[in-house]
């Protein structure tokens, strides 16, 4: 019987060590802030000028943040962020939205303006990147 218990303990030791390693990895993950994407919901919808004809856009946007504090700050200031982005999009033309390079410049300008809003309101930019999940122009 003693031999059986000793054998059972010997076989269970590797599993116990593996469980301890997993627990340490989970604790390490908890200590490191997580990257999250905060969606601007609902999507931005509006119009922009193209000479004599009005055109429309729909922009589905996500903001990349790290940590729950940044997520909370972005969500709290979402109305101000949304307003800034709507103003930026409404100033666009066919030339500023016509190519992939132009859309990338718009994305970078939108990121810069979102960071400026958060810098003014909170003292930190909080947002690391801005992504267009979908950008429809009509």
């Amino acid at each position: 019987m003693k031999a059986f218990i000793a054998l059972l303990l010997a076989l269970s030791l590797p599993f116990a060590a593996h469980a301890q390693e997993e627990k340490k990895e989970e604790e390490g993950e908890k200590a490191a802030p997580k990257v999250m994407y905060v969606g601007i919901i609902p999507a931005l919808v509006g119009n922009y000028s193209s000479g004599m004809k009005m055109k429309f856009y729909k922009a589905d946007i996500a903001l990349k943040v790290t940590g729950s504090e940044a997520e909370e700050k972005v969500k709290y200031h979402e109305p101000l962020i949304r307003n800034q982005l709507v103003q930026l999009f409404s100033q666009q033309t066919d030339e500023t939205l016509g190519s992939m390079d132009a859309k990338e410049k718009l994305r970078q300008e939108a990121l810069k303006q979102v960071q400026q809003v958060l810098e003014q309101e909170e003292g930190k930019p909080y947002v690391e990147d801005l992504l267009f999940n979908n950008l429809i122009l009509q």
Side-chain angles (χ1 to χ4, degrees):
M1 183 68 170
K2 288 183 180 181
F4 177 73
I5 293 174
L7 180 62
L8 194 60
L9 284 173
L11 290 174
S12 65
L13 282 177
F15 295 112
H18 182 66
Q20 285 288 2
E21 287 177 22
E22 284 183 0
K23 185 176 179 182
K24 287 179 183 177
E25 286 176 10
E26 287 177 11
E27 289 173 358
E29 288 175 4
K30 289 178 185 176
K34 289 188 177 183
V35 172
M36 293 174 260
Y37 294 90
V38 179
I40 303 296
I41 299 173
L44 302 176
V45 178
N47 53 32
Y48 65 97
S49 179
S50 177
M52 298 296 286
K53 188 176 180 184
M54 290 299 281
K55 293 203 170 185
F56 299 93
Y57 68 86
K58 179 181 178 188
D60 190 9
I61 296 173
L63 304 173
K64 180 182 174 184
V65 298
T66 301
S68 59
E69 178 188 5
E71 179 186 24
E72 289 172 18
K73 300 293 183 185
V74 167
K75 285 182 178 180
Y76 180 78
H77 292 291
E78 185 179 340
L80 188 55
I81 292 169
R82 176 179 289 279
N83 178 63
Q84 195 69 27
L85 292 172
V86 166
Q87 287 181 11
L88 175 65
F89 275 86
S90 67
Q91 295 170 357
Q92 302 308 305
T93 64
D94 280 340
E95 293 78 34
T96 60
L97 292 172
S99 69
M100 290 302 290
D101 289 337
K103 290 176 185 172
E104 177 61 20
K105 286 180 185 176
L106 175 62
R107 187 191 71 78
Q108 290 174 359
E109 180 61 27
L111 172 61
K112 184 174 127 184
Q113 289 195 17
V114 168
Q115 288 174 332
Q116 285 176 347
V117 164
L118 291 167
E119 185 77 43
Q120 289 172 352
E121 296 296 318
E122 294 292 336
K124 286 177 70 177
Y126 286 110
V127 175
E128 297 168 21
D129 203 1
L130 181 142
L131 306 168
F132 290 144
N133 291 333
N134 201 357
L135 181 58
I136 300 171
L137 306 171
Q138 185 177 15

